[in-house]
Amino acid sequence: MKKQEASGRRRRIAAAAIAVALLGGILLGSYLLKTAGAKREAEDTPSSPETKGKQVTVKRSEEKGEQEEDQKGSEMFAIFGVDSRENELGEGTRSDSIMLVQVDHEKKTIRVASVYRDCLVWIEGHGFEKITHAHAYGGPELAVDTVNRNFDLQVSQYLTVNFQGVAEAVDAVGGVEQTLDEEEADVINSYIKEVNTIRKTSSGKIEKAGTYVLDGTQAVAFSRIRYTEGGDYKRTERQRTVLFQLFEKAKSLSADKKRQLLERLGKGVRTNFSAEDLLKRMKQLSEYQVEEMNAFPQVFYGGIIEGAWVEAPVTLTEMNAKLHLFLQKEENYLPSSQAQKYSDEIAVKAGGQANVDLSDQ
């Protein structure tokens, strides 16, 4: 079990790195974003956790060549990755990936912490459940609240990205090259049929193992393959390879093509960043260095609790100490009474025992 979890950890960390690089690389050199239909009371009105996110629409800006001042200090925001059949980005969609991105504007560095989707936490109004359900119960707002409550953080900004939007982007760059093994070739066509129905496309079948240029529908179908050797961990790796290929092709696009790509990808993004602030952050990320990446919890009980498979931190407060040290280099983390209470209850549910320790991986 430990070997399988370690493999999954490495893949999830790699996926986090690619997701950040993808967003930053695509946005680099693009035009200013505008949020369609959103009326802002003032240009300097800050976003808040209570602000309902908007899906991002892109159009050409008349403003060009503006000089941006270097930003100071540091900030943290969350990225939630969902795979919604109906392109929904709020309630009803579980977050298959959860990333906390710490940006140091002084040092121009980025640190990325992934939280396992099955991590057992307290979700307000729903009790102890795996963290992926928070987004389904209350959209990104409840997901952010869950992150802050359990991990003693103060995240306010978020992006929810739907993998369906990746299909649009893949089509925009002319497809991505991918090699399928025999097992993948045997099962992919049922997924292609499903995604064809959702996207109203007519992508062809894959007849046998080999290397293909996949269109958007086929790429999403490939990323959804789950019931093969490696299960969900292997699916995460497929998503990573699709994103990597997309990123590589997007880097060489002209400014006009990048704008068109953003128009397509923007349909699958929900955020409480203003469009202009989102562009600014992503341009910065593309210029900064990813200092380190890690995944949490590193010590946990993996098993059935109350009828569901979970990964219960042992303990939550010890996980939080490592998380704070990793993200914010906070060496003397003191848990809040709320986090301590959650930690004690999770420890009881896990029997006070850990059966997976990835801290040395």
Side-chain angles (χ1 to χ4, degrees), residues 61-130:
S61 171
E62 295 177 358
E63 303 173 41
K64 297 180 180 179
E66 291 186 355
Q67 185 68 33
E68 293 181 354
E69 294 183 3
D70 287 343
Q71 192 164 341
K72 306 297 182 182
S74 63
E75 64 177 324
M76 186 186 303
F77 61 89
I79 299 177
F80 304 107
V82 302
D83 185 14
S84 167
R85 271 73 172 161
E86 303 299 327
N87 204 31
E88 294 294 329
L89 296 164
E91 294 182 17
T93 57
R94 289 176 292 186
S95 50
D96 286 339
S97 62
I98 301 163
M99 292 169 279
L100 303 174
V101 183
Q102 176 75 21
V103 182
D104 187 327
H105 294 291
E106 304 288 343
K107 296 181 179 179
K108 301 187 184 303
T109 58
I110 302 165
R111 302 177 75 82
V112 182
S114 294
V115 179
Y116 293 148
R117 67 189 299 278
D118 292 333
C119 179
L120 185 64
V121 295
W122 172 267
I123 302 176
E124 187 68 9
H126 301 276
F128 287 100
E129 294 200 33
K130 55 183 70 179

Side-chain angles (χ1 to χ4, degrees), residues 6-232:
S7 176
R9 172 178 177 266
R10 287 192 292 270
R11 288 171 181 149
R12 291 178 190 182
I13 293 172
I18 295 300
V20 172
L22 171 68
L23 288 169
I26 290 175
L27 289 165
L28 179 61
S30 300
Y31 298 91
L32 285 173
L33 304 176
K34 300 283 186 179
T35 303
K39 294 183 178 180
R40 299 175 64 188
E41 294 182 1
E43 287 297 324
D44 59 350
T45 301
S47 300
S48 69
E50 293 76 23
T51 302
K52 291 293 183 182
K54 303 291 185 181
Q55 285 181 246
V56 178
T57 303
V58 186
K59 63 181 181 180
R60 186 187 303 271
S61 171
E62 295 177 358
E63 303 173 41
K64 297 180 180 179
E66 291 186 355
Q67 185 68 33
E68 293 181 354
E69 294 183 3
D70 287 343
Q71 192 164 341
K72 306 297 182 182
S74 63
E75 64 177 324
M76 186 186 303
F77 61 89
I79 299 177
F80 304 107
V82 302
D83 185 14
S84 167
R85 271 73 172 161
E86 303 299 327
N87 204 31
E88 294 294 329
L89 296 164
E91 294 182 17
T93 57
R94 289 176 292 186
S95 50
D96 286 339
S97 62
I98 301 163
M99 292 169 279
L100 303 174
V101 183
Q102 176 75 21
V103 182
D104 187 327
H105 294 291
E106 304 288 343
K107 296 181 179 179
K108 301 187 184 303
T109 58
I110 302 165
R111 302 177 75 82
V112 182
S114 294
V115 179
Y116 293 148
R117 67 189 299 278
D118 292 333
C119 179
L120 185 64
V121 295
W122 172 267
I123 302 176
E124 187 68 9
H126 301 276
F128 287 100
E129 294 200 33
K130 55 183 70 179
I131 196 170
T132 182
H133 291 162
H135 199 284
Y137 290 142
E141 292 79 20
L142 182 58
V144 167
D145 177 77
T146 301
V147 165
N148 290 335
R149 282 178 180 275
N150 287 271
F151 307 147
D152 281 340
L153 295 172
Q154 296 181 337
V155 176
S156 61
Q157 305 298 123
Y158 67 81
L159 296 93
T160 291
V161 181
N162 189 351
F163 214 74
Q164 286 292 339
V166 174
E168 298 289 338
V170 169
D171 285 336
V173 301
V176 294
E177 186 175 288
Q178 184 61 51
T179 300
L180 281 71
D181 61 27
E182 291 183 6
E183 190 177 21
E184 291 165 338
D186 285 343
V187 300
I188 192 173
N189 289 321
S190 61
Y191 291 93
I192 292 175
K193 182 178 179 180
E194 179 188 14
V195 181
N196 268 331
T197 301
I198 295 167
R199 299 189 68 220
K200 297 179 172 55
T201 53
S202 56
S203 297
K205 295 181 178 181
I206 302 297
E207 299 296 338
K208 59 182 180 180
T211 299
Y212 298 88
V213 175
L214 305 180
D215 64 21
T217 291
Q218 293 167 329
V220 169
F222 175 74
S223 73
R224 280 189 176 169
I225 295 173
R226 184 173 184 177
Y227 299 108
T228 58
E229 185 178 353
D232 200 38

